[in-house]
Amino acid sequence: MESSIGIVTAKKMHFSAPLLLQSGQSLADYDLMVETYGVLNAQRSNAVLICHALNASHHVAGHYLHEPQSLGWWDNMVGPGKPLDTQRFFIIGINNLGSCFGSTGPMSLDPATGRPYGARFPVVTVEDWVNAQARVADALGIERFAAVMGGSLGGMQALAWSITYPERVAHCLAIASTPKLSAQNIAFNEVARSAILSDPDFHGGDYYTHGVKPRIGLRLARMIGHITYLSDEDMAAKFGRARFSQKKNTYNFNFDIEFEVESYLRHQGGKFAEYFDANTYLLATRALDYFDPAQAYAGDLSAALANTRANYLVVSFTTDWRFPPARSQELVKALLEHKRAVTYAEINAPHGHDAFLLTDDRYHNLVRAYYARIAQECA
Amino acid sequence: MESSIGIVTAKKMHFSAPLLLQSGQSLADYDLMVETYGVLNAQRSNAVLICHALNASHHVAGHYLHEPQSLGWWDNMVGPGKPLDTQRFFIIGINNLGSCFGSTGPMSLDPATGRPYGARFPVVTVEDWVNAQARVADALGIERFAAVMGGSLGGMQALAWSITYPERVAHCLAIASTPKLSAQNIAFNEVARSAILSDPDFHGGDYYTHGVKPRIGLRLARMIGHITYLSDEDMAAKFGRARFSQKKNTYNFNFDIEFEVESYLRHQGGKFAEYFDANTYLLATRALDYFDPAQAYAGDLSAALANTRANYLVVSFTTDWRFPPARSQELVKALLEHKRAVTYAEINAPHGHDAFLLTDDRYHNLVRAYYARIAQECA
């Protein structure tokens, strides 16, 4: 019963009411790319919003016509008979503001100038994204989500939904996430941003009009990211000290690719630099850095969660050193102080932060069981 | 009794016999910068060699005349009354081949061309460094070292000494080190090297003749390095999410320095890019990658250590995630298989990999006690 949902189509939704951003700036109007799967029931009670992480999009599941390789980023989670079952739920994926997959972002034309926004695109926050997503829900006639779910930066959006719109979220599923970045997390983001900002082809963010893109910086940023997504154990198992060359018994004594892990990183970095936008990378890492709902409460996360109404599923993975289990536990503890219903699972998985995207029976069966319960509530 | 050794002077030693390198290349002749502290006894039995890590030098302790700020990198370890007591031992620091502090390296003039070696400087290994260091010992009339000691990449040299010259090392002290890099270690090195290699000012390694240096790449490399030297806990304690700006209650909504940790990394990176040489960074990270004494024995570290004769002190630090305690334990286990005398200590310290350079009573008292025993042996 675990087949992909098959061919899907994305649509662009236009919003013409200005959106006031946390920075004080506003967007006069904007587009958001949206995909939906399954059918909204008559009571409009079975809607689930999936929030994406740094480099993903609205394309959560299925594939596009004539593009069988274009599988959605969470296709193993969302589909007929899958943990989040499209036969039971109406599921929405939205490409966030500032991203580079069709929603309004730095690559879009600024109506004020007729040229791409570039560096003039405002710095957006997790809360800004949530406010923009709420307008999609309004347009689709969804008053309350059965669930808002996300992994990593997507989990932050799910958490922000439950704080900003407590009446509109029945369940919040925060996977491999954290209520705030650590200094080390920010440090990795800063190196990635520095690589982009210092690339001579960055041109202060306005590289579009120069006909170039800061590939070198974006490539380095992605290489750094990749190291933090994988666990030390996983890298050891996948690559170890395996050699790239055929001459296994002697080194090349140069700085070309010597080890498999170098080849992997260069390949991933190079691929990413072709399809992703550097300004979006800057924006998404800043949104990560800035997210900290406790900040307005003098660092008291419990106070920040005082008005939440949702039930929570919080999942962490043992070898995730980007957002380790302790960060999820911090969230769980603060929620329990308000007697919220919280299910917490720490999945023993070797794959580091990436585990949230991978197929793992214990993880998927947990999410499946959790959604089965939600399905009963909204039937 | 813990004063600095005071004013010290470095000297340049010239070696005119060709040095055959592991790569098959050779250096016709070369210079090495050397510093010594304390007095070699009549039996020449109290000599200790200190091997340096990635970015350090022969300048281990004391300071230079009229430069009170120029304290040696291990001044808290080496001096009168310090754990390695200059009143008892004759201590030698050597700047490794390929480094940028006066020993022959990529910045030196290639006698074959009259121009800086640049990219033509051969890729050197830990074993090459050890062979070059052995010639310094020969020149100073030291047949056997009371101890060879190093931290991190320096610990690899100490280990290589005990394997390559088993008769010439009484004690090997390997601190915060590892018998080989992991895939994750290599991955971080690869990103650092990529940053340098892809800097437009790198010019294939021959930037000297262009009057520039690849500052952007070197700065990024150092920023990445710094993250791996500090523990997550230590960064949390030092920086947390502390803000750089005076406006603590609102974000700047841009990509300038927002958090203290960003300021720290940019400062460290910028400073490093001014004083360090990019080609040396490439060489030192490659020497790290390549070190793997077990490789010639089909990965059997125990077999690689079969002919060692030294006694060992192995020290690791609990929060060191660059070379975690498990890597030291791997070495200890292989040594015990040959019934070598091994003292192993895992120091509970919050400072990550950098802990080996910092003052910590338990760590320093252990090293002090170990050297007190060596002093009795060589009296």
Side-chain angles (χ1 to χ4, degrees):
Chain A
M1 268 299 279
E2 295 211 3
S3 63
S4 172
I5 194 166
I7 293 163
V8 298
T9 49
K11 64 175 170 187
K12 185 174 281 192
M13 292 177 73
H14 183 75
F15 297 87
S16 53
L19 183 73
L20 180 63
L21 304 170
Q22 219 183 328
S23 62
Q25 290 192 262
S26 65
L27 280 172
D29 65 340
Y30 56 95
D31 297 322
L32 291 177
M33 292 300 295
V34 177
E35 268 180 48
T36 66
Y37 322 103
V39 179
L40 187 61
N41 63 15
Q43 310 94 302
R44 299 174 181 271
S45 66
N46 70 333
V48 174
L49 175 66
I50 300 289
C51 305
H52 70 77
L54 201 150
N55 64 317
S57 73
H58 55 287
H59 183 39
V60 177
H63 62 86
Y64 298 131
L65 187 65
H66 306 313
E67 294 179 57
Q69 301 303 315
S70 65
L71 213 59
W73 58 271
W74 225 350
D75 190 79
N76 62 3
M77 181 67 84
V78 176
K82 295 196 180 173
L84 176 46
D85 193 339
T86 47
Q87 296 166 333
R88 291 174 156 183
F89 291 99
F90 176 67
I91 297 143
I92 306 170
I94 304 174
N95 188 217
N96 284 327
L97 274 178
S99 184
C100 49
F101 299 108
S103 293
T104 298
M107 293 164 71
S108 310
L109 295 184
D110 179 353
T113 65
R115 291 200 308 271
Y117 279 102
R120 287 169 308 284
F121 195 83
V123 169
V124 285
T125 65
V126 167
E127 287 78 5
D128 293 332
W129 286 337
V130 164
N131 288 333
Q133 291 160 3
R135 295 197 177 172
V136 175
D138 295 343
L140 297 175
I142 296 157
E143 263 181 49
R144 186 167 184 253
F145 281 108
V148 179
M149 180 188 192
S152 191
L153 177 55
M156 292 177 173
Q157 293 160 58
L159 183 59
W161 258 98
S162 77
I163 295 170
T164 311
Y165 299 104
E167 312 286 351
R168 301 188 72 172
V169 184
H171 292 267
C172 168
L173 289 79
I175 320 283
S177 195
T178 174
K180 63 173 186 290
L181 292 203
S182 69
Q184 192 189 66
N185 294 149
I186 297 171
F188 278 120
N189 283 347
E190 168 63 14
V191 181
R193 277 193 299 267
S194 286
I196 292 169
L197 296 169
S198 63
D199 186 323
D201 282 339
F202 181 65
H203 295 290
D206 296 320
Y207 45 88
Y208 314 106
T209 52
H210 289 76
V212 293
K213 54 187 294 187
R215 282 189 179 78
I216 291 174
L218 198 48
R219 179 173 161 273
L220 292 169
R222 182 61 165 179
M223 289 169 85
I224 295 163
H226 252 285
I227 299 177
T228 69
Y229 304 152
L230 303 180
S231 70
D232 187 25
E233 299 88 319
D234 197 32
M235 284 192 125
K238 269 204 186 98
F239 309 109
R241 296 179 55 84
R243 304 279 290 288
F244 181 71
S245 145
Q246 295 306 310
K247 304 185 302 168
K248 303 282 179 186
N249 290 320
T250 179
Y251 289 126
N252 298 316
F253 296 99
N254 61 34
F255 306 116
D256 295 340
I257 293 175
E258 181 86 65
F259 297 94
E260 287 284 355
V261 67
E262 296 174 309
S263 165
Y264 171 82
L265 283 180
R266 288 194 193 187
H267 176 73
Q268 293 294 336
K271 207 171 64 175
F272 188 73
E274 292 308 315
Y275 79 80
F276 207 77
D277 179 59
N279 281 319
T280 294
Y281 204 88
L282 297 177
L283 290 171
T285 55
R286 221 22 154 187
L288 276 161
D289 291 355
Y290 280 177
F291 184 66
D292 182 10
Q295 196 189 9
Y297 299 87
D300 182 349
L301 180 61
S302 178
L305 297 169
N307 295 320
T308 57
R309 300 278 191 96
N311 294 341
Y312 291 81
L313 175 66
V314 178
V315 180
S316 69
F317 299 91
T318 47
T319 59
D320 181 354
W321 63 281
R322 186 173 171 83
F323 300 148
R327 322 302 305 281
S328 283
Q329 289 161 17
E330 189 184 330
L331 171 60
V332 169
K333 185 171 170 291
L335 288 166
L336 289 176
E337 283 169 11
H338 293 291
K339 306 202 189 309
R340 306 288 350 127
V342 184
T343 302
Y344 173 60
E346 195 171 308
I347 306 287
N348 195 333
H351 300 300
H353 188 60
D354 265 357
F356 89 88
L357 293 168
L358 302 176
T359 302
D360 176 298
D361 279 347
R362 287 161 303 179
Y363 163 42
H364 277 193
N365 286 338
L366 172 74
V367 174
R368 186 188 304 275
Y370 197 85
Y371 272 112
R373 205 179 64 184
I374 301 179
Q376 289 181 321
E377 289 172 15
C378 61
Chain B
M1 268 299 279
E2 296 212 1
S3 63
S4 171
I5 194 166
I7 293 163
V8 298
T9 49
K11 64 177 170 187
K12 185 175 281 194
M13 292 177 73
H14 183 73
F15 297 87
S16 53
L19 183 73
L20 179 64
L21 304 171
Q22 220 183 328
S23 62
Q25 291 190 262
S26 64
L27 281 171
D29 65 340
Y30 56 93
D31 297 322
L32 291 177
M33 293 300 296
V34 177
E35 269 180 47
T36 67
Y37 322 102
V39 179
L40 186 61
N41 64 15
Q43 310 94 301
R44 297 172 181 272
S45 66
N46 68 333
V48 174
L49 174 66
I50 300 290
C51 305
H52 71 77
L54 202 150
N55 64 318
S57 73
H58 53 287
H59 183 40
V60 177
H63 62 88
Y64 298 132
L65 187 64
H66 306 312
E67 294 179 57
Q69 302 303 316
S70 66
L71 213 59
W73 59 271
W74 225 350
D75 190 80
N76 63 1
M77 181 66 85
V78 175
K82 295 198 178 171
L84 176 45
D85 193 339
T86 47
Q87 295 165 333
R88 288 174 157 184
F89 292 99
F90 175 67
I91 295 143
I92 307 170
I94 304 173
N95 188 218
N96 284 327
L97 274 177
S99 183
C100 49
F101 298 109
S103 293
T104 298
M107 294 165 70
S108 310
L109 295 184
D110 178 354
T113 65
R115 291 199 308 272
Y117 278 102
R120 287 169 307 284
F121 194 83
V123 169
V124 285
T125 65
V126 167
E127 287 78 4
D128 293 332
W129 287 337
V130 164
N131 288 333
Q133 290 160 3
R135 293 197 179 170
V136 175
D138 295 343
L140 297 174
I142 296 158
E143 263 181 51
R144 186 167 184 255
F145 280 108
V148 179
M149 179 187 193
S152 192
L153 177 55
M156 291 177 174
Q157 293 161 57
L159 182 59
W161 259 98
S162 76
I163 294 171
T164 311
Y165 299 105
E167 311 287 351
R168 300 188 72 170
V169 184
H171 292 267
C172 168
L173 289 79
I175 319 285
S177 194
T178 173
K180 64 174 185 291
L181 293 203
S182 69
Q184 191 189 67
N185 293 150
I186 296 172
F188 278 119
N189 283 347
E190 169 62 13
V191 182
R193 277 191 301 267
S194 287
I196 291 169
L197 295 169
S198 62
D199 186 323
D201 283 339
F202 181 65
H203 295 290
D206 296 319
Y207 44 87
Y208 314 108
T209 52
H210 289 77
V212 293
K213 54 188 294 188
R215 282 188 178 79
I216 291 175
L218 198 49
R219 179 174 162 272
L220 291 169
R222 182 60 165 180
M223 290 169 84
I224 295 163
H226 252 284
I227 299 177
T228 70
Y229 305 152
L230 304 179
S231 69
D232 186 27
E233 298 90 318
D234 196 31
M235 284 192 124
K238 270 202 184 102
F239 308 108
R241 296 178 54 84
R243 304 279 290 289
F244 181 71
S245 142
Q246 296 306 308
K247 304 185 300 170
K248 304 281 182 189
N249 290 322
T250 177
Y251 289 127
N252 298 315
F253 295 99
N254 61 32
F255 307 116
D256 295 341
I257 293 173
E258 180 86 65
F259 298 94
E260 287 284 356
V261 68
E262 296 174 311
S263 164
Y264 171 81
L265 283 181
R266 289 194 191 186
H267 176 74
Q268 293 294 335
K271 207 171 64 174
F272 188 73
E274 293 307 314
Y275 80 80
F276 206 77
D277 179 58
N279 281 318
T280 294
Y281 203 88
L282 296 177
L283 290 170
T285 55
R286 222 21 155 185
L288 277 161
D289 292 354
Y290 280 179
F291 184 66
D292 183 10
Q295 196 189 11
Y297 299 87
D300 182 350
L301 180 61
S302 176
L305 297 169
N307 295 321
T308 57
R309 300 278 192 95
N311 294 341
Y312 291 80
L313 175 65
V314 178
V315 180
S316 69
F317 299 91
T318 47
T319 58
D320 181 354
W321 63 282
R322 186 174 171 84
F323 299 149
R327 322 303 306 280
S328 283
Q329 290 160 17
E330 189 184 329
L331 171 60
V332 169
K333 185 170 169 293
L335 288 167
L336 289 176
E337 283 169 10
H338 293 292
K339 305 199 188 313
R340 306 286 355 128
V342 184
T343 302
Y344 173 60
E346 196 172 307
I347 306 287
N348 195 334
H351 301 299
H353 188 60
D354 264 359
F356 88 87
L357 293 168
L358 303 176
T359 302
D360 177 297
D361 279 349
R362 286 162 304 176
Y363 163 40
H364 277 192
N365 286 338
L366 172 75
V367 175
R368 186 188 304 275
Y370 197 86
Y371 273 112
R373 204 177 67 183
I374 301 179
Q376 289 180 323
E377 289 172 15
C378 62

